[in-house]
Amino acid sequence: QQKYTLSVKPLQSEKQYNNAKVRNKLRKVKKNNINVHKISIDQYFQSFVDIYHQNMERLNAEEFYHFNTNYFSELKKLVNKNGYLVGAIKDEELIGASIFLFGKTNLHYHLSATGDQCDIPGVSNSLIDAGIHICRKNTMNLLHLGGGNSNSENDNLYKFKKSMGNMEHTYSIGWRIHHLDIYNQLKDICSSKFSASFEKHSDKMLFYRFIQS
């Protein structure tokens, strides 16, 4: 199954974006006195978590994206060790933030959210732009943005990332079923017990991990 993912290669600032709409959004954020920069993880991480949950509720996101307390606790440790928290601050209030994780040569755009009070278009663009500046400052090769919520070119998240990116990659997912009879039994159990979820997410489920309670 072939999928698409996007990245940004840092260029000279004035050549970074060919998209006029992106440039206008970035200017609008600055005109509204929104300051976008790296912020203290200890001071702002819980505020980011609160904003993230607001964002998921507002978007009516699937349960899969509603991460629990333990997830964020472990993520905070990882960000402290290998990451950055970038925030958008207006009138001393955090209105949006993104988590970036880094390796030896690349930066990865991991999670991002804007709060209910954020009504300025372009804040999400500015958070990624700040990530690009981090790449440039630390001489990293690229900022990996990831893909959309689906494999469609009309996917809104994919289109947003494409407006910020300048590189597209393809990757494939493959699998092999070693015990087809057992696999089908697990699939049937899952289908009967969780019919609504099965119908919606059957293409994402790894049935060999299903545990009957």
Side-chain angles (χ1 to χ4, degrees):
Q1 183 181 2
Q2 193 172 71
K3 293 180 178 289
Y4 300 92
T5 182
L6 297 154
S7 295
V8 185
K9 188 172 181 65
L11 306 173
Q12 295 177 18
S13 297
E14 66 276 8
K15 296 181 179 179
Q16 188 67 60
Y17 307 110
N18 292 322
N19 190 319
K21 288 182 179 178
V22 169
R23 295 196 299 270
N24 288 336
K25 286 181 178 180
L26 295 176
R27 282 194 289 266
K28 187 171 288 188
V29 168
K30 290 180 180 178
K31 284 181 180 178
N32 280 275
N33 297 315
I34 299 171
N35 194 5
V36 182
H37 57 88
K38 282 193 294 183
I39 56 177
S40 166
I41 297 166
D42 290 334
Q43 183 178 352
Y44 286 104
F45 192 84
Q46 186 55 51
S47 297
F48 166 76
V49 173
D50 294 341
I51 287 174
Y52 179 84
H53 287 310
Q54 284 179 17
N55 209 167
M56 295 302 100
E57 292 292 337
R58 189 173 66 247
L59 296 173
N60 196 25
E62 296 173 14
E63 191 64 29
F64 175 83
Y65 297 103
H66 291 259
F67 304 124
N68 61 27
T69 302
N70 183 63
Y71 174 89
F72 282 110
S73 177
E74 293 301 314
L75 178 60
K76 183 179 180 181
K77 295 176 189 176
L78 181 59
V79 178
N80 268 311
K81 185 179 178 182
N82 287 96
Y84 304 103
L85 180 61
V86 173
I89 297 175
K90 182 174 175 60
D91 299 327
E92 300 184 358
E93 183 178 5
L94 188 69
I95 62 171
S98 294
I99 287 175
F100 296 91
L101 302 173
F102 63 82
K104 289 183 179 179
T105 58
N106 299 329
L107 193 64
H108 174 70
Y109 178 60
H110 182 62
L111 287 181
S112 187
T114 55
D116 293 342
Q117 73 281 27
C118 180
D119 57 358
I120 310 295
V123 169
S124 295
N125 303 81
S126 293
L127 291 167
I128 290 178
D129 184 60
I132 295 170
H133 283 287
I134 291 171
C135 268
R136 195 180 290 124
K137 183 177 179 180
N138 292 280
T139 61
M140 293 180 175
N141 292 338
L142 57 83
L143 165 58
H144 178 241
L145 298 175
N149 290 317
S150 70
N151 218 22
S152 169
E153 291 190 1
N154 293 318
D155 181 288
N156 287 330
L157 181 59
Y158 173 82
K159 288 194 290 187
F160 165 69
K161 290 179 178 178
K162 191 169 185 177
S163 73
M164 299 297 294
N166 52 29
M167 301 172 70
E168 185 177 67
H169 319 279
T170 59
Y171 67 96
S172 299
I173 299 174
W175 61 88
R176 179 173 293 174
I177 299 169
H178 294 279
H179 299 286
L180 184 59
D181 291 343
I182 297 173
Y183 181 83
N184 285 332
Q185 286 176 27
L186 292 173
K187 201 170 179 179
D188 290 342
I189 293 168
C190 191
S191 174
S192 61
K193 193 168 183 178
F194 306 104
S195 56
S197 295
F198 179 85
E199 196 169 322
K200 191 173 184 180
H201 302 295
S202 60
D203 60 332
K204 302 175 186 175
M205 292 183 180
L206 303 174
F207 296 101
Y208 58 83
R209 290 187 179 176
F210 177 73
I211 300 172
Q212 187 176 12
S213 57

